[in-house]
Amino acid sequence: MCAANTDPVIRLDGVIVVRGGKPVLRDISLDVGAGEFVGIIGPNGAGKSTLLGVINGLISPTAGRVSVLGKDPARWLHGIRLRRQIGLVAQSQRFNPLAPILVFESVLLGRAGRRGLGFRLHREDREIARRAMADTGIEKLARRPLGSLSGGELQRVAIARALAQEPDILLLDEPTASVDPAARQDLVSLLAELPSLTGAAILCVTHDPWMLPAACRRVITLKQGRLFGAGPRSLMLSAELLEELYAEEGLPFGPATVTGGSSASWPQEWSRG
């Protein structure tokens, strides 16, 4: 739950989403407070990305209530306005690799996202974009075309673009999934720095709990479209709970296997509350 005396920036109450006649989310209720870093984990098909779509106003719930920054994102005009305040980092960056778009130009689009299309960008906007690039370690890539970047570099550009938007809410949808293993840990380290770079509430969806940085203090688990559990990371990332959560498809991560319900081989940072 949110801190005392603080209204949640995200509130879902009994949300149901049915697509193609099949329930994707079933009776989801949750709150997220300002400045919280919340992880959302679960097996494939659990409804994690659908949940982000509901929060972002791109998916309308079949039933239930949604409030984001005090507005209903499913209402057309509210959704448009809210998306200026919501930064999104997708699982992979889709674009024409031959398009003549430079890294700095891509990051600067975050300012257009905040101001809205048709608004002229000023020197202040360029300074904010440069600061976001410095914060994500890509300032030396400013003049590089996007098509020349690696997967890890592209995800850093996407995070910088979202930071340049100066969002009130930051949604991360499988931010490390399309990155090679060598660059994955560097990205996790960057994700751990996000609370110090933005005051936004952060929701990070991942199939792999190993990718949640220690800065993520609360974890929500989904399974078959239902809320499986929610609580402090030390509880929700226990070996026993994760084995139950991923029982049907097997544990998706980690250099060591867990045997006999023991968490002895679990990453030590997971034991931090």
Side-chain angles (χ1 to χ4, degrees):
M1 298 299 290
C2 301
N5 302 318
T6 302
D7 291 333
V9 294
I10 298 170
R11 169 164 284 172
L12 278 67
D13 184 9
V15 168
I16 297 172
V17 174
V18 177
R19 308 188 81 177
K22 297 181 180 181
V24 183
L25 292 179
R26 312 169 187 237
D27 194 25
I28 301 295
S29 297
L30 60 88
D31 288 355
V32 177
E36 268 200 287
F37 194 149
V38 179
I40 303 173
I41 64 173
N44 289 323
K48 304 182 296 294
S49 294
T50 299
L51 179 60
L52 292 192
V54 169
I55 293 169
N56 209 19
L58 298 177
I59 297 175
S60 296
T62 307
R65 290 181 168 183
V66 182
S67 174
V68 178
L69 300 172
K71 299 180 178 67
D72 179 357
R75 296 180 62 181
W76 182 73
L77 191 56
H78 284 184
I80 290 175
R81 290 173 176 169
L82 279 172
R83 283 189 286 278
R84 295 181 187 177
Q85 299 171 269
I86 299 174
L88 174 65
V89 177
Q91 180 177 146
S92 60
Q93 308 307 312
R94 298 180 181 180
F95 63 96
N96 182 347
L98 299 179
I101 303 173
L102 302 181
V103 167
F104 178 70
E105 294 169 338
S106 178
V107 175
L108 195 58
L109 286 175
R111 297 306 301 158
R114 181 70 183 196
R115 292 188 177 275
L117 294 176
F119 282 80
R120 185 172 181 176
L121 300 181
H122 302 286
R123 177 180 298 177
E124 176 189 7
D125 298 303
R126 290 172 173 80
E127 291 173 353
I128 291 171
R130 290 189 183 98
R131 184 166 64 245
M133 293 176 64
D135 288 340
T136 53
I138 60 168
E139 63 268 43
K140 292 183 179 179
L141 304 178
R143 307 304 298 176
R144 289 266 301 274
L146 284 183
S148 70
L149 303 185
S150 67
E153 289 169 337
L154 284 171
Q155 287 302 88
R156 284 180 175 268
V157 171
I159 293 170
R161 184 166 57 244
L163 291 177
Q165 192 175 338
E166 297 185 314
D168 298 293
I169 297 170
L170 180 56
L171 306 179
L172 309 172
D173 191 1
E174 301 275 8
T176 64
S178 61
V179 177
D180 63 82
R184 199 166 291 161
Q185 191 55 51
D186 286 340
L187 261 184
V188 173
S189 298
L190 175 58
L191 298 181
E193 296 176 13
L194 289 179
S196 66
L197 300 176
T198 174
I202 303 170
L203 276 73
C204 181
V205 158
T206 179
H207 177 69
D208 186 346
W210 185 274
M211 294 297 105
L212 286 178
C216 172
R217 310 305 292 172
R218 186 159 69 99
V219 177
I220 293 168
T221 58
L222 296 178
K223 187 172 185 177
Q224 297 178 345
R226 299 185 186 276
L227 188 64
F228 189 73
R233 66 179 289 124
S234 56
L235 174 64
M236 304 311 296
L237 298 185
S238 69
E240 294 79 6
L241 188 146
L242 289 175
E243 285 182 321
E244 184 179 359
L245 179 65
Y246 292 96
E248 284 76 15
E249 63 182 46
L251 296 173
F253 56 86
T257 57
V258 179
T259 58
S262 170
S263 60
S265 60
W266 237 235
Q268 286 191 357
E269 76 159 23
W270 284 14
S271 64
R272 300 171 189 163

